[in-house]
């Protein structure tokens, strides 16, 4: 699963460099030696980072620069090869104070010490483990997160808990509840960079719910001609975010071609938005999959339309009515056909 004006990025980067602090992460996993390695994955303003170190009697050590505590993943690889499924993984926070990790024989069972935020994360993980055992579903997930947030209003873990909840929130009422939870966080946390990023994300996601008018955007099509979403008003439009390298997207294309062929003459359009960065790969996939609908992409790493629509993974799609109002999200296959039969002009249906 995040989504920049270059000038703004440069300003932020310069600011962050001035505020960078050291982090230190030490650990011990049993008595493991080479070829066993530990991989550390995290992200900073300048982009994602992956580092690794070979174990020496189980010991490992990482250090670097961060501007604030950041989420990270530790992976244990017994054969030393790069990260691969199934993962032996531990989620932690890199902190501006030393963090220690200790485990007997695996990473995911290891425990952290030396950092308040990691102690809070362990409380959260324990609550989530109890929830999984109870099989309480989405309601249990929401309530457990809410309890943690109320108990730890000054924790960055609470910021991420609200973000997790926003991934399953599907109504205006649910997002209003999340915004209320956010308002109960400590003021310092609300005003922090992570806090403001969360607030802006919640507001943007709220605007992408059924019943809301889809945000307009302009992107170049495969010939370089600019096309706006609003130019398609008057028809039902499926906005389809995808990529040439996305296997589920390519599989979905086969079904979507059939649906498009069936409904293309009934005020139904598809607008494909590729998050590819290489034009040749994008257009080859369009040709190979024989996609007959409109295609656009700005070919930027941070696709502007994807950022506007808070795309954290593909495929993702939105179905709009002729007024540009969102009526459904992520419909596929039979569910898509049933919805189109429901909303398209009945007179047209009889003519088919």
């Amino acid at each position: 699963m995040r989504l920049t004006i270059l000038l703004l990025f440069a300003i932020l980067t310069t600011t962050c460099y001035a505020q960078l602090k050291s982090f230190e992460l030490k650990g011990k996993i049993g008595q493991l030696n080479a070829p066993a390695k530990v991989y550390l994955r995290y992200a900073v303003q300048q982009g994602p980072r992956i580092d690794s170190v070979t174990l020496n009697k189980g010991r490992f050590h990482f250090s670097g620069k961060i501007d604030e505590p950041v989420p990270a993943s530790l992976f244990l690889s017994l054969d030393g090869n790069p990260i691969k499924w199934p993962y032996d993984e531990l989620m932690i926070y890199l902190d501006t104070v030393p963090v220690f990790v200790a485990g007997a024989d695996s990473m995911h069972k290891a425990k952290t010490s030396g950092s308040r935020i990691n102690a809070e994360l362990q409380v959260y993980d324990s609550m989530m483990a109890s929830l999984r055992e109870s099989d309480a579903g989405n309601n249990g997930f929401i309530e457990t997160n809410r309890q943690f947030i109320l108990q730890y209003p000054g924790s960055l873990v609470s910021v991420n808990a609200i973000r997790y909840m926003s991934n399953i929130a599907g109504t205006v009422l649910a997002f209003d509840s999340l915004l209320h939870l956010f308002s109960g966080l400590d003021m310092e946390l609300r005003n922090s960079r992570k806090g403001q990023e969360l607030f802006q994300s919640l507001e943007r996601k709220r605007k992408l719910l059924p019943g809301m008018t889809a945000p307009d955007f302009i992107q170049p099509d495969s010939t370089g001609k600019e096309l706006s979403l609003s130019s398609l008003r008057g028809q039902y439009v499926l906005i389809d975010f995808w990529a040439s390298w996305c296997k589920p997207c390519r599989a979905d294309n086969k079904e979507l071609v059939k649906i498009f062929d069936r409904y293309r003459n009934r005020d139904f359009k598809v607008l494909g938005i590729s998050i590819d960065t290489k034009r040749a790969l994008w257009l080859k996939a369009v040709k190979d999959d024989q996609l007959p609908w409109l295609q656009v992409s700005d070919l930027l790493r941070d696709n502007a339309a994807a950022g506007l629509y808070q795309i954290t993974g593909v495929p993702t799609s939105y179905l709009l009515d002729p007024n540009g109002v969102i009526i459904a999200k992520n419909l596929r296959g039979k569910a898509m056909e049933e919805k189109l039969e429901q909303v398209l002009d009945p007179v047209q249906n009889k003519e088919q």
Side-chain angles (χ1 to χ4, degrees), residues 66-81:
I66 54 176
D67 62 324
E68 62 181 357
V70 297
S73 295
L74 282 170
F75 301 86
L76 175 62
S77 171
L78 294 177
D79 59 12
N81 290 328

Side-chain angles (χ1 to χ4, degrees), residues 68-301:
E68 62 181 357
V70 297
S73 295
L74 282 170
F75 301 86
L76 175 62
S77 171
L78 294 177
D79 59 12
N81 290 328
I83 303 166
K84 60 183 179 181
W85 182 261
Y87 304 135
D88 184 2
E89 177 186 16
L90 178 68
M91 304 294 294
I92 64 167
Y93 278 85
L94 300 178
D95 206 345
T96 53
V97 298
V99 176
F100 303 91
V101 176
D105 55 7
S106 70
M107 187 61 75
H108 77 274
K109 294 180 181 178
K111 300 295 183 182
T112 60
S113 60
S115 165
R116 189 189 76 178
I117 189 172
N118 280 293
E120 293 164 349
L121 178 60
Q122 288 184 140
V123 172
Y124 180 83
D125 287 344
S126 177
M127 293 172 70
M128 288 296 109
S130 297
L131 176 64
R132 286 190 291 271
E133 292 173 2
S134 69
D135 192 28
N138 279 353
N139 289 337
F141 175 80
I142 292 170
E143 180 57 26
T144 301
N145 275 274
R146 191 183 71 85
Q147 290 176 6
F148 180 88
I149 293 162
L150 293 175
Q151 187 176 354
Y152 295 94
S155 175
L156 269 176
V157 181
S158 292
V159 168
N160 284 328
I162 294 176
R163 191 181 301 278
Y164 300 151
M165 294 168 72
S166 74
N167 291 333
I168 64 171
T171 65
V172 172
L173 182 62
F175 270 88
D176 287 346
S177 177
L178 293 180
L179 287 165
H180 179 71
L181 276 176
F182 177 83
S183 70
L185 297 179
D186 290 354
M187 183 179 295
E188 182 179 354
L189 184 57
R190 293 199 311 270
N191 292 334
S192 68
R193 178 166 61 85
K194 290 287 178 64
Q196 285 303 298
E197 286 175 354
L198 172 62
F199 179 71
Q200 292 166 14
S201 175
L202 291 175
E203 288 203 315
R204 289 173 182 167
K205 287 182 177 180
R206 189 179 183 276
K207 295 177 181 178
L208 294 168
L209 296 171
M212 309 295 279
T213 300
D216 195 16
F217 58 84
I218 299 174
Q219 295 227 328
D221 66 14
S222 57
T223 68
K225 181 181 178 180
E226 291 194 336
L227 176 70
S228 68
L229 174 62
S230 57
S231 68
L232 303 179
R233 291 280 175 88
Q235 305 165 95
Y236 285 88
V237 177
L238 180 72
I239 307 175
D240 180 42
F241 289 93
W242 71 292
S244 65
W245 43 261
C246 167
K247 291 183 179 179
C249 302
R250 304 296 293 274
D252 277 0
N253 282 345
K254 296 178 181 178
E255 291 300 315
L256 190 52
V257 167
K258 296 176 184 177
I259 293 172
F260 181 76
D261 285 343
R262 181 176 178 182
Y263 295 97
R264 65 191 306 167
N265 296 321
R266 293 162 64 177
D267 291 332
F268 175 61
K269 297 289 185 183
V270 176
L271 176 61
I273 304 171
S274 169
I275 61 170
D276 281 279
T277 58
K278 296 186 182 298
R279 179 181 178 82
L281 295 179
W282 167 38
L283 297 184
K284 183 178 186 301
V286 171
K287 181 179 180 180
D288 290 348
D289 293 358
Q290 299 181 356
L291 306 182
W293 50 79
L294 297 166
Q295 291 284 343
V296 297
S297 180
D298 61 15
L299 297 175
L300 299 176
R301 189 184 71 172

Side-chain angles (χ1 to χ4, degrees), residues 296-314:
V296 297
S297 180
D298 61 15
L299 297 175
L300 299 176
R301 189 184 71 172
D302 296 313
N303 184 287
L308 186 63
Y309 278 74
Q310 297 285 282
I311 302 301
T312 57
V314 288

